[in-house]
Amino acid sequence: MSTEIVLRRTTPPVLHQMQSILFCHWKALLMTFKELLNTPVATIVTATVIGISLSLPAGLYTLLQQAKAFSSPWQDMNHISLFLKKETDLESINKLRTTLQTLPHIEKITHITPQQALQEFRDYSGFGEALDSLQHNPLPHVFIIDPQLTLHNKQQLEQLFSTLKTFPEIDIAQLDIEWLQRLYSLFNIFYQSILLISILFSLTVLLVIGNTIRLNIENKKEEIIVIKLVGGTNRFIRRPFLYRGLWYGVYGGLLAVLLVNGSLWVLQTPVKDFLLTYNSPLQLQFMPVHDTFLLVVMSMLLGLIGAILAVNKHLHNIELE
Amino acid sequence: MIYFEHVYKHYPAHRDALRDVNFHIAAGEMVFLTGQSGAGKSTLLKLLALIERVSSGQIILSGKNINKLKNSSIPFLRRKLGLIFQDYQLLMDRNVFDNVALPLVIAGYSQKDIKKRVRAALDKVNLLHKEKSCPITLSGGEQQRVGIARAVVNKPALLLADEPTGNLDPELSKEIMNLFEEFNRVGVTILIASHDLYLIQQLQKRTIRLQQGCLVTI
């Protein structure tokens, strides 16, 4: 044994230092993993709170993404439908058609006669027998106007729309893009709401993990004091708590993935039935791989940040007596 | 090795715990620190381990003023000391081996070194056969020996013991003191705070006596 104290940090070779630091991290990772398994109930409760908090925004986001994908084929359907007045005769209709063809910005005009419309309605609506009882066809002639593809500017489209509205033969003019625009602004509202919900629930996760780590620190007070007394650095003391936060995040994230996919699985049959009424073969999909990965990583980060906040706040309160 | 120069320690709302304390302990000495409860024995040891800081004056340890040490350097000072406590300060949820290994784990020793050193330390305190036991199943004397093994496992040059026999009967106390004497014989400097005057007289070592924060005998 030496008889003199050398008051300087002994610094082993860099490689040895690196190895020893990595080993310390690896040990802390394994130790906290085992500790969490040793208290399964507390771990499951914490992970469940995190999982539920994250599954709500993640689930809503997944649903919305799929609703958007489902509606995207209609994105280019910016038709204008012109419903003609009932009393308009065939001659005026043909004249109107010729006039319309001279207008700029019109790509194509489709004429649907009342007979065609009735047949289509009979085929798709399921009211076939009820329609048979009608004495005469109540449907008007309809022109479907496809604007030129270059006409994607909303203002130009509206200008064309208001020109078309002025013809006396036209009863109702309808710009079909409007409902799509409404749908998309609705999507936008949902996205913003999900963002807000995500922020609130992320805060919840931070608070839950922070509080759990605070309790862990309280429980390990004796150990922290002993470690300080035998020369443990703050970094050494912090490390296991940070890994604890990380593990809570991983467990919570994985649970959220399970919850979201479980809910999607439950919803699959009713959604399929619903989509079939629109003749759509589409099905509800599970969470995509990259979203799953992102969710778990986010959860892990939240766990780590929560732990850092808790450790910074509460570790200083433990003083040696 | 240790110089106390005009050391004062003042706690807010209390009288001074230490007043103008001056003494010197040479390397390789074994010294007792005595005095009644509240005389300032524990405070003096805490100042040496930088658990507390002096209010004024200076403490020189191996030629260095430890009060100038930054907080971030304190752990590295403590690794050079062996601290022994009246209530042992063992971790009850870990076995004897892990308790003794703690300072080495903190200092980043390899598994191989840790095993070798812990076994050597446990052998010195005669507890090698108990390495797998939990501290709670051990007697008070055995627990204190675990505490001593943990203090010496780092091979420190200075051992500080605060009432190490305070909870033990005279026979066990004698045993513990014999252990300290053994360490002292191989060159370790030892400072023991104790109010067990009978035991101290038997050992015939230098004694520093504190009374109400002042040094009475050096």
Side-chain angles (χ1 to χ4, degrees):
Chain A
M1 275 188 217
S2 55
T3 52
E4 270 299 307
I5 297 179
V6 186
L7 281 184
R8 61 178 163 78
R9 295 185 192 187
T10 39
T11 42
V14 178
L15 187 67
H16 176 80
Q17 233 176 337
M18 289 274 289
Q19 274 177 337
S20 126
I21 287 170
L22 280 178
F23 182 69
C24 276
H25 279 272
W26 174 242
K27 255 198 114 171
L29 190 75
L30 282 186
M31 190 185 80
T32 44
F33 180 73
K34 277 188 203 150
E35 275 178 0
L36 288 177
L37 288 188
N38 285 339
T39 51
V41 179
T43 307
I44 288 170
V45 169
T46 308
T48 308
V49 175
I50 298 165
I52 292 174
S53 304
L54 291 178
S55 67
L56 193 72
L60 285 176
Y61 178 78
T62 310
L63 274 182
L64 198 63
Q65 283 293 86
Q66 298 196 25
K68 210 174 166 189
F70 175 65
S71 66
S72 66
W74 302 330
Q75 198 154 21
D76 293 328
M77 287 170 61
N78 42 357
H79 312 302
I80 298 170
S81 307
L82 303 175
F83 297 88
L84 306 191
K85 284 183 180 146
K86 272 300 279 177
E87 60 272 16
T88 324
D89 53 23
L90 265 176
E91 200 183 330
S92 324
I93 290 171
N94 283 333
K95 226 191 313 177
L96 177 65
R97 186 180 178 142
T98 333
T99 321
L100 289 179
Q101 269 161 348
T102 61
L103 286 177
H105 304 311
I106 290 183
E107 176 76 28
K108 195 175 119 196
I109 301 171
T110 317
H111 180 195
I112 300 172
T113 64
Q115 290 74 27
Q116 283 172 332
L118 190 67
Q119 192 56 46
E120 213 172 285
F121 194 50
R122 197 190 296 277
D123 289 348
Y124 292 110
S125 70
F127 290 118
E129 281 177 32
L131 290 174
D132 284 339
S133 65
L134 289 175
Q135 279 168 359
H136 44 245
N137 187 350
L139 300 172
H141 285 270
V142 180
F143 283 141
I144 307 278
I145 310 286
D146 285 354
Q148 276 170 355
L149 284 177
T150 49
L151 203 67
H152 277 305
N153 181 318
K154 204 185 159 203
Q155 262 183 340
Q156 284 177 306
L157 198 65
E158 271 170 359
Q159 208 174 1
L160 176 66
F161 178 62
S162 44
T163 319
L164 291 172
K165 263 203 294 201
T166 53
F167 288 96
E169 295 88 347
I170 289 167
D171 189 10
I172 305 166
Q174 202 173 307
L175 187 58
D176 286 344
I177 198 176
E178 274 181 3
W179 73 272
L180 206 67
Q181 277 173 341
R182 281 197 203 110
L183 183 69
Y184 274 85
S185 23
L186 212 60
F187 277 150
N188 226 349
I189 294 173
F190 279 130
Y191 271 119
Q192 299 294 330
S193 314
I194 289 175
L195 190 70
L196 284 176
I197 293 174
S198 305
I199 292 171
L200 288 178
F201 278 92
S202 299
L203 269 177
T204 312
V205 171
L206 277 186
L207 290 177
V208 168
I209 290 180
N211 197 45
T212 310
I213 299 290
R214 182 182 65 83
L215 291 176
N216 290 153
I217 292 174
E218 282 295 311
N219 287 339
K220 295 209 163 223
K221 205 174 159 183
E222 314 271 300
E223 189 177 326
I224 293 170
I225 288 175
V226 171
I227 291 175
K228 278 193 174 185
L229 285 175
V230 297
T233 53
N234 281 340
R235 220 182 270 186
F236 184 88
I237 296 168
R238 283 159 61 112
R239 200 174 295 136
F241 294 108
L242 301 189
Y243 276 112
R244 245 168 199 266
L246 207 71
W247 280 121
Y248 283 134
V250 170
Y251 290 151
L254 290 177
L255 201 71
V257 170
L258 270 180
L259 283 172
V260 169
N261 282 329
S263 310
L264 288 172
W265 182 72
V266 170
L267 285 175
Q268 223 161 25
T269 316
V271 168
K272 194 178 166 192
D273 291 347
F274 171 72
L275 289 179
L276 272 179
T277 64
Y278 284 88
N279 287 323
S280 169
L282 287 175
Q283 274 195 16
L284 207 54
Q285 305 291 321
F286 289 119
M287 254 179 111
V289 177
H290 62 273
D291 284 357
T292 306
F293 181 72
L294 206 68
L295 178 59
V296 177
V297 169
M298 287 262 292
S299 178
M300 236 168 78
L301 283 179
L302 283 175
L304 189 64
I305 295 168
I308 289 174
L309 293 176
V311 165
N312 283 352
K313 180 148 174 31
H314 300 289
L315 222 48
H316 292 293
N317 296 342
I318 296 175
E319 286 298 325
L320 303 178
E321 282 144 21
Chain B
M1 180 185 239
I2 305 171
Y3 288 90
F4 269 61
E5 288 170 5
H6 307 292
V7 170
Y8 282 80
K9 178 64 189 172
H10 178 77
Y11 291 110
H14 287 281
R15 61 182 173 72
D16 289 337
L18 291 176
R19 270 183 292 168
D20 198 17
V21 175
N22 297 282
F23 66 87
H24 167 231
I25 294 175
E29 258 194 293
M30 178 163 165
V31 178
F32 282 101
L33 184 62
T34 69
Q36 289 171 328
S37 302
K41 304 190 293 287
S42 296
T43 305
L44 197 148
L45 292 184
K46 279 179 188 168
L47 293 179
L48 265 173
L50 277 179
I51 296 170
E52 306 265 2
R53 299 254 187 190
V54 296
S55 302
S56 66
Q58 48 186 350
I59 300 172
I60 313 288
L61 193 58
S62 286
K64 220 173 179 183
N65 186 348
I66 60 169
N67 300 312
K68 289 194 177 145
L69 230 55
K70 277 185 272 172
N71 279 344
S72 59
S73 300
I74 293 176
F76 301 95
L77 166 76
R78 293 205 187 120
R79 290 180 195 180
K80 314 279 184 190
L81 308 173
L83 299 179
I84 295 148
F85 311 90
Q86 181 174 0
D87 53 1
Y88 324 130
Q89 296 276 14
L90 301 178
L91 297 175
M92 293 303 168
D93 58 345
R94 300 188 193 188
N95 66 26
V96 167
F97 183 95
D98 288 342
N99 265 285
V100 176
L102 190 62
L104 302 178
V105 173
I106 287 170
Y109 280 82
S110 72
Q111 282 303 91
K112 211 177 91 189
D113 282 352
I114 289 177
K115 262 187 199 152
K116 213 169 68 190
R117 286 189 176 215
V118 170
R119 298 239 161 92
L122 281 174
D123 193 30
K124 260 180 231 151
V125 299
N126 224 345
L127 276 178
L128 197 51
H129 58 293
K130 297 265 180 162
E131 63 171 357
K132 292 271 189 312
S133 310
C134 265
I136 201 100
T137 62
L138 304 180
S139 70
E142 286 172 325
Q143 288 193 29
Q144 189 56 294
R145 270 146 60 198
V146 176
I148 293 171
R150 184 183 63 192
V152 299
V153 77
N154 245 343
K155 300 188 180 172
L158 174 62
L159 277 183
L160 301 175
D162 191 5
E163 301 280 3
T165 59
N167 292 342
L168 304 177
D169 59 43
E171 208 168 310
L172 285 174
S173 301
K174 188 86 210 326
E175 225 172 82
I176 297 292
M177 287 304 171
N178 288 342
L179 256 179
F180 283 131
E181 276 193 300
E182 265 178 54
F183 288 121
N184 182 235
R185 238 170 271 143
V186 291
V188 182
T189 311
I190 304 180
L191 179 58
I192 303 169
S194 172
H195 61 260
D196 191 343
L197 290 175
Y198 176 73
L199 197 67
I200 294 168
Q201 272 168 8
Q202 279 186 319
L203 286 166
Q204 298 199 324
K205 298 282 181 189
R206 183 179 150 209
T207 304
I208 296 174
R209 198 154 78 86
L210 280 169
Q211 199 170 44
Q212 294 189 331
C214 296
L215 265 189
V216 210
T217 342
I218 298 179

